[in-house]
Amino acid sequence: MLYHKLRRGKIKKMKDKDIIALYDVIYKMLSKAGFKRYEVSNYAKPGFECIHNKKYWDDSAYLGLGVSAHSYIDGYRYYNTKRLDTYIDAMNENKPAVYRKEYVSDAEHREERIMLSLRTIKGLDLEKFKQDFKEDLLRSRAEQIKKLTELKMVEVVDGYLRITEPNFNVSNQIILELV
C-alpha cells in the first residue's frame, strides 16, 4: 500500500537524513521502554527475541512450511510455490510444493555469513568463520577492518567482529567493505 501511494504521489519519499533521525527517535523510545536492539531493525525485551529470524542470522538450517515458504537445508535453498491452489494440489498428492531449489555456493555462503552476522548486535564469530571458510578475516580484510576500527564503526569483542551501535544506520556500507 505504501509503495502504491508513493507511486501515485499521495505521499512523499522521506529524505535519508529524516529516516536516520526517525531511527534515532525510535531507538531512544524503545530503549527507554526496556527494549534492546538485537539486529539492525529488530528490538525486543530480553528473552523475547524472534527465534525464527535468528535462524537466518546465525546460519542455521530452517524448514519453511506453507505457501511461499522458504527453507535452507544442507547448503540448498528451497522455495515453495506462491500459488495456494498449486500448494493444496501438491499436498493432496503427497508431493513437495517446492517450485525452485538452488545451491548456495561457497562464495555466496561466505558473503551471506558476513552480511547476516554483522546485522546482529553480537556480530560475526571470527573463529567459526575461520573454521568454516578457511579464512582469517582479520588478515584477509586487515586494511578495511583497521580503517573501520579507527573510525569506530566496528570493533572486535570476545572474538566477534561487530558494528558499533551508532553505526547500524550505515551497516550496508560497512558490510560492503568486508565482503
Side-chain angles (χ1 to χ4, degrees):
M1 185 61 74
L2 187 61
Y3 170 76
H4 294 296
K5 285 183 178 183
L6 184 64
R7 258 184 82 208
R8 290 189 299 245
K10 295 195 180 224
I11 59 172
K12 291 182 183 177
K13 184 177 179 188
M14 290 179 73
K15 295 178 179 153
D16 287 347
K17 66 180 180 73
D18 295 333
I19 293 170
I20 291 169
L22 184 58
Y23 257 99
D24 290 342
V25 168
I26 290 168
Y27 173 75
K28 288 174 186 165
M29 288 175 63
L30 290 172
S31 295
K32 193 174 182 179
F35 288 81
K36 305 285 184 208
R37 184 195 309 251
Y38 64 98
E39 193 264 347
V40 167
S41 58
N42 289 282
Y43 297 78
K45 290 200 173 180
F48 291 92
E49 297 86 359
C50 179
I51 295 168
H52 171 82
N53 288 353
K54 288 174 89 173
K55 293 280 187 192
Y56 304 134
W57 303 320
D58 69 12
D59 197 25
S60 295
Y62 55 88
L63 176 64
L65 304 172
V67 177
S68 295
H70 296 147
S71 302
Y72 176 66
I73 302 166
D74 295 331
Y76 286 89
R77 279 201 195 91
Y78 300 86
Y79 303 83
N80 283 0
T81 181
K82 297 176 183 180
R83 295 183 47 106
L84 180 59
D85 58 338
T86 305
Y87 183 84
I88 290 171
D89 289 344
M91 294 299 99
N92 285 335
E93 296 171 19
N94 202 24
K95 293 182 179 176
V98 174
Y99 80 90
R100 192 166 120 211
K101 174 184 174 182
E102 70 181 15
Y103 176 72
V104 179
S105 72
D106 290 342
E108 289 172 314
H109 188 199
R110 177 195 169 278
E111 285 187 8
E112 288 177 8
R113 173 79 63 85
I114 293 169
M115 181 212 28
L116 294 170
S117 295
L118 288 177
R119 287 184 57 89
T120 69
I121 292 295
K122 191 174 185 180
L124 175 66
D125 182 334
L126 293 165
E127 189 56 40
K128 183 157 178 29
F129 185 87
K130 188 189 299 186
Q131 290 171 4
D132 292 347
F133 299 100
K134 310 301 182 246
E135 176 185 352
D136 182 345
L137 201 66
L138 293 178
R139 287 181 188 235
S140 65
R141 294 289 189 262
E143 187 179 315
Q144 296 89 337
I145 292 171
K146 181 178 188 278
K147 178 181 82 171
L148 292 167
T149 301
E150 288 171 355
L151 293 169
K152 299 189 183 325
M153 299 182 92
V154 300
E155 59 189 359
V156 177
V157 177
D158 297 328
Y160 286 80
L161 175 68
R162 66 184 189 193
I163 296 173
T164 57
E165 180 60 53
N167 292 294
F168 273 103
N169 59 350
V170 292
S171 61
N172 287 344
Q173 290 89 334
I174 294 169
I175 291 166
L176 284 172
E177 289 281 325
L178 299 170
V179 291

